[in-house]
């Protein structure tokens, strides 16, 4: 019995040492740097560390440049990682088009079906791609806008028409704005440098400015904040991380928690050997309300007690 126990202990030690001695290599493609996307990346890394999974990361940021976004995929192919983590739609699309011999896990993708990443939310139709969607609940966003600014008749939206996720979001926004009997005014941008002018173009044409989870617009959020503050027009956003930066409010998923859940998916693939094709697309339905009272005052709005009392985070 003693000999058997020693043998089992030796086998376990060898297996543990082998696991610990070979860190997994994860290549990350991220279209741009901003708090929400960074939070997802950090969440993945924290969850893997929490599970005792040793991993090294090759992080590539495209800085919002489409050409760079494609070039990154060539670099990743040369790295031959154990898994590709694609944060946001552009990087996920570029990875899925070129990389077919290793698993791809995306996160922060609004509409993975419309983006051509998967054909069905229940499985990836035999491909090497799976991940998480962050499709925003536009009905709740419109309701939040109406609660904060009851007199609002027209909503202005800033987004990049070249981002598939943003096109899907604004499509849903149009439907919900129409259902609420309101009018939508759109200002499109091609890059982050266009956010300031887009915001200026909306002044005088809308009662509220709304920015969805558009990577390009959010990367230059401060430009919109400056315009809205100077013009006393409320700015509502689609992600909670932007509230701390100076927007008035958002009801949305916690992107760090989405990163943690994405990390669980990554662990299943790397450690448990689950195939992406057998993993349904996942969602994070735990919505949080964040409000910024200081931003509200700066933009000429008094937040209703009903909103402040149910917010999980209030910035004074």
């Amino acid at each position: 019995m003693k000999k058997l126990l020693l043998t089992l202990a030796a086998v376990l030690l060898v297996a543990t040492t082998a696991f610990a001695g070979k860190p997994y290599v994860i290549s990350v493609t991220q279209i741009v740097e901003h708090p929400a996307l960074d939070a997802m990346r950090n969440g993945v890394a924290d969850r893997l560390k929490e599970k005792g999974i040793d991993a090294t990361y090759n992080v590539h940021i495209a800085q919002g440049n489409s050409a760079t976004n494609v070039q990154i995929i060539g670099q990743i192919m040369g790295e031959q990682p154990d898994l590709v983590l694609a944060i946001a739609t552009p990087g996920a699309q570029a990875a899925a088009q070129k990389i077919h011999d290793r698993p791809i896990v995306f996160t922060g993708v609004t509409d993975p079906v419309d983006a051509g990443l998967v054909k069905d939310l229940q499985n990836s139709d035999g491909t090497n791609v799976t991940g998480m969607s962050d499709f925003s609940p536009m009905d709740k966003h419109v309701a939040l806008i109406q609660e904060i600014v009851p007199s609002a008749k027209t909503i202005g939206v800033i987004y990049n028409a070249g981002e598939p996720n943003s096109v899907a979001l604004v499509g849903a926004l149009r439907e919900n704005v129409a259902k609420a009997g309101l009018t939508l005014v759109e200002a499109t941008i091609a890059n982050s440098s266009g956010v300031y002018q887009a915001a200026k173009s909306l002044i005088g044409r809308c009662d509220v400015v709304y920015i969805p989870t558009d990577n390009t617009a959010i990367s230059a959020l401060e430009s919109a904040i400056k315009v809205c503050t100077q013009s006393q027009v409320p700015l509502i956003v689609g992600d909670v991380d932007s509230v701390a930066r100076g927007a008035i409010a958002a009801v949305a998923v916690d992107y760090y928690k989405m990163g943690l859940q994405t990390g669980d998916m990554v662990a299943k693939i790397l450690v448990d050997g689950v195939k992406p094709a057998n993993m349904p697309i996942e969602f994070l339905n735990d919505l949080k309300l964040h409000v910024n009272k200081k931003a509200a005052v700066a933009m000429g709005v008094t937040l209703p007690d009903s909103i402040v009392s149910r917010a999980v985070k209030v910035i004074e």
Side-chain angles (χ1 to χ4, degrees), residues 4 20 24 67 76 84 96 109 113 175-176 185 191 228 230 244 253 267 269 279 285 288 312:
L4 176 60
Y24 292 104
I76 288 176
V84 177
V109 170
V113 175
E175 293 178 9
N176 284 280
V185 179
N191 50 55
C228 289
Q230 291 175 340
V253 300
I269 293 171
M279 300 174 68
N285 296 316
K288 304 295 183 183
V312 300

Side-chain angles (χ1 to χ4, degrees), residues 155-169:
I155 298 172
V157 61
I158 301 172
Y159 70 103
N160 183 351
E163 282 195 30
N165 61 314
S166 300
V167 172
L169 285 172

Side-chain angles (χ1 to χ4, degrees), residues 36-113:
L37 301 191
D38 296 343
M40 285 186 280
R41 188 179 74 240
N42 293 334
V44 171
D46 287 351
R47 179 49 55 85
L48 295 186
K49 183 177 180 181
E50 175 188 307
K51 289 177 173 288
I53 299 172
D54 190 9
T56 61
Y57 301 86
N58 300 321
V59 179
H60 305 272
I61 311 293
Q63 303 299 347
N65 187 292
S66 298
T68 303
N69 182 52
V70 174
Q71 291 170 3
I72 283 172
I73 303 306
Q75 296 175 31
I76 288 176
M77 292 172 72
E79 293 165 359
Q80 298 187 327
D82 296 295
L83 181 140
V84 177
L85 175 63
I87 301 176
T89 303
Q93 288 179 311
Q97 289 170 4
K98 296 289 185 179
I99 300 173
H100 307 289
D101 61 344
R102 57 202 66 243
I104 298 171
V105 177
F106 61 76
T107 192
V109 170
T110 300
D111 190 340
V113 175

Side-chain angles (χ1 to χ4, degrees), residues 112-277:
V113 175
D114 187 66
L117 297 172
V118 295
K119 292 184 178 180
D120 190 298
L121 294 178
Q122 294 307 307
N123 62 72
S124 63
D125 195 37
T127 70
N128 58 320
V129 182
T130 189
M132 291 194 68
S133 169
D134 68 339
F135 203 103
S136 299
M138 282 301 171
D139 56 336
K140 291 181 172 60
H141 287 204
V142 173
L144 179 66
I145 290 172
Q146 290 183 297
E147 190 174 359
I148 292 175
V149 191
S151 62
K153 301 297 182 185
T154 304
I155 298 172
V157 61
I158 301 172
Y159 70 103
N160 183 351
E163 282 195 30
N165 61 314
S166 300
V167 172
L169 285 172
V170 175
L173 178 64
R174 288 192 200 101
E175 293 178 9
N176 284 280
V177 165
K179 286 180 183 177
L182 305 176
T183 300
L184 185 68
V185 179
E186 301 177 22
T188 60
I189 56 175
N191 50 55
S192 59
S193 63
V195 173
Y196 181 81
Q197 192 56 46
K200 291 282 286 185
S201 74
L202 290 174
I203 302 305
R205 298 196 295 150
C206 68
D207 303 306
V208 180
V209 173
Y210 171 76
I211 296 180
T213 53
D214 179 283
N215 298 307
T216 307
I218 291 175
S219 69
L221 181 69
E222 284 71 21
S223 296
I225 291 171
K226 180 178 180 179
V227 172
C228 289
T229 300
Q230 291 175 340
S231 306
Q232 295 285 277
V233 175
L235 173 63
I236 312 297
V237 289
D239 72 290
V240 293
D241 295 288
S242 293
V243 177
R245 293 168 66 187
I248 292 176
V251 56
V253 300
D254 183 320
Y255 280 98
Y256 178 72
K257 287 188 176 180
M258 177 167 281
L260 293 176
Q261 188 170 327
T262 304
D264 288 331
M265 299 182 76
V266 170
K268 288 178 183 177
I269 293 171
L270 291 179
V271 179
D272 300 332
V274 179
K275 300 295 184 184

